[in-house]
Amino acid sequence: MTEQHGTIESHPLHQGEAAETFPPTPEFRAAANLQDSSVYWRAAQDPEAYWAERARDLRWTKPFTEVLDWSNPPFAKWFADGELNVAANCLDRHVAAGLGDRVAIHFEGEPGDTRSLTYAELTHEVKRAANMLTSLGVTAGDRVAIYMPMIPEAVIAMLAVVRLGAAHSVVFGGFSAESLRARIDDAEAELVITADGGYRKGRVSALKPTVDDALALHGGGSTVQNVLVVQRTDQGVEMQSGRDLWWHEEITAYDDQHEARGFPAENPLFILYTSGTTGKPKGILHTSGGYLTQVSATHRDVFDLKPETDVYWCTADVGWITGHSYVVYGPLANGATQVIYEGTPETPDWGRWWSIIQKYGVSIFYTAPTAIRACMKVGRQVPEQYDLSSIRVLGSVGEPINPEAWRWYREVIGAGTAPIVDTWWQTETGAIMISPLPGLTSLKPGSAQVPQPGIDVSIVNDAGERVDRGQGGLLTVRRPWPSMVRGIWGDPDRFVDTYWSKFGDQYFAGDGARVDDDGDIWLLGRVDDVMNVSGHRLSTAEIESALVEHHAVAESAVVGADDETTGQAVVAFVILKSQQQLLTPEEAEQELKKHVAAQIGAIARPRQVFVVTELPKTRSGKIMRRLLKDAAEGREIGDTTTLADTSVMQTISDRVRSEK
Ligand code: PRX
């Protein structure tokens, strides 16, 4: 049973069960980076002083004198008069400290090729790439789109861009040409960095042809001047003369003499698009000094990182915020040694992840509940064939982890002793906001538990008042935090509207949560029209608009239905145009699944598409998605009395049942 998307009432604690807790072992606590719980109290007394102290762990080319400027809420500025170079903090600083020979990245390609890069080597590569980008005209303030597989050049490209004071917009390699183009246009990117392809599930998955398709859309004119292509898979790709350049050919002209300039702390670092409640993805803007402060501090604290001895591995792709904060910026700012793996966990078989842990002696492992559930389904006999004794901390992110998966993760992967840090955060928060600290917190399976030191999270009622212990409500953040979203690219009104209009002075995260009697926080899923599929955010509105763009579709409604493996799955209900009744429902279903994948990307492909003749609507014409969700999840249909036609739901649920 998965209760992660259940209602507050169906929550186990609500039923009066006492949660079992797992305190840190005495050995873990004695060696932990944080052993003294007074850190919470000290940070709460003076959060700005706390964050200023953490910020001073970074190397500033011009020290800051101001900490927080909140004179124009909700637009925060942190450390605004300070200057730093984010890439130099992740690279040159460690080399200068004599750590150049430490491995930064152990890369494992899906076909089995490997490559290790020390901090000195990574710095060398990034400096050369920065020189190459400069000659292509990239300067401070520009935007560069990156559409890459999980290979070291993805990290090198990101760091080279930010070294120049420009901002990247990484687009996940699974997104379609349409989605890529919309992101390129919105950010007005002048350069796209891509690869011919990458390896996924034992096959070559093409990237450059998708870039070509994206740039050919809308009559071909775009802001893009050049496309820089990394050779990875060596399959033939077309190169458009005057526009497209091979990375490996260009780079030979550049040496590694490159001085990193400092840029203001509020200089844009990156834009990352994420789904909201409307059809148009939001370009979440992050800046430099505050972001790097919080990602590096949380990476060190939450994972109890010991950069000298740990081997860290986060399985996220750099196309998502987890890949930005906990593959690129947090670990590299902390001088960590990490593993980057290109492919999927089941290639060539389900032992792949565990063999990588064994091979590199991974000690900190960070992944998503959906992956843990998929491994559970395959069975513990697979990981049990490998030596996982190097593991000492496990992390979870992206959705609530159901207690059953938590227990399996701890027992089978963590030898029954490794602490699990269940980390709640968002693209918008930039860094971890709620999580146990492994040397201090007694863990509760299924709960993200405690706000990080210096972070002021509340669970509130609709009026914005804190709820009592034992109650549920909406999750908000009261005080600004260093890595907070600075705005939605090109749309300041939407930023205010989406996050600040509900409560005025509190950031509204869009999640429901409950505080238990000990004050621990339990996340209960989104309260808006955002779905969480395999830890990825998708908007119902975006998929609905892709469906109605299909010539056969008259109307559509999309819901996120509980799914045992992926947390939620996309279920679509469509009404076909009358002249399309010649398509059988089965044909329409197949065709529309393909259509959504082509329009948005494979992650948005519906699990099911139901062709129906009517949708449940209120008398004022609003679609009642709640009832469709009941039907998709096979539940009794809720209250239908407000429907204009109460018989509609009966027909729809009969239709859904006939599929089962
Ligand atoms: O609903 C929450 C869920 O993921 C959403 C944020 O999605 P995204 O911006 O794509 O970032 C995902 C990776 C940080 C949140 O609003 N979420 C994320 N982590 C957790 C979670 N829900 C419960 N528990 C978590 N640990």
Side-chain angles (χ1 to χ4, degrees), residues 492-530:
D493 294 343
R494 190 174 177 197
F495 173 62
V496 176
D497 244 38
T498 310
Y499 307 106
W500 304 92
S501 61
K502 191 165 176 67
F503 296 117
D505 57 347
Q506 301 180 55
Y507 167 87
F508 172 48
D511 279 38
R514 183 177 181 280
V515 217
D516 69 17
D517 293 337
D518 305 322
D520 284 320
I521 297 170
W522 298 71
L523 276 308
L524 300 171
R526 301 286 307 190
V527 294
D528 52 13
D529 290 328
V530 171

Side-chain angles (χ1 to χ4, degrees), residues 274 320-322 396-401 422-428 448 509-511 523 525-526 532 535-537:
T274 187
W320 309 108
I321 191 66
T322 310
S396 172
V397 62
E399 55 176 313
I401 178 165
D422 175 4
T423 61
W424 179 90
W425 58 294
Q426 309 177 294
T427 307
E428 293 87 341
D511 279 38
L523 276 308
R526 301 286 307 190
N532 190 329
H536 298 143
R537 250 161 93 167

Side-chain angles (χ1 to χ4, degrees), residues 33 105 111 130 155 157 176 219 276 443:
N33 291 347
I105 295 173
V155 179
S176 68
L443 305 169

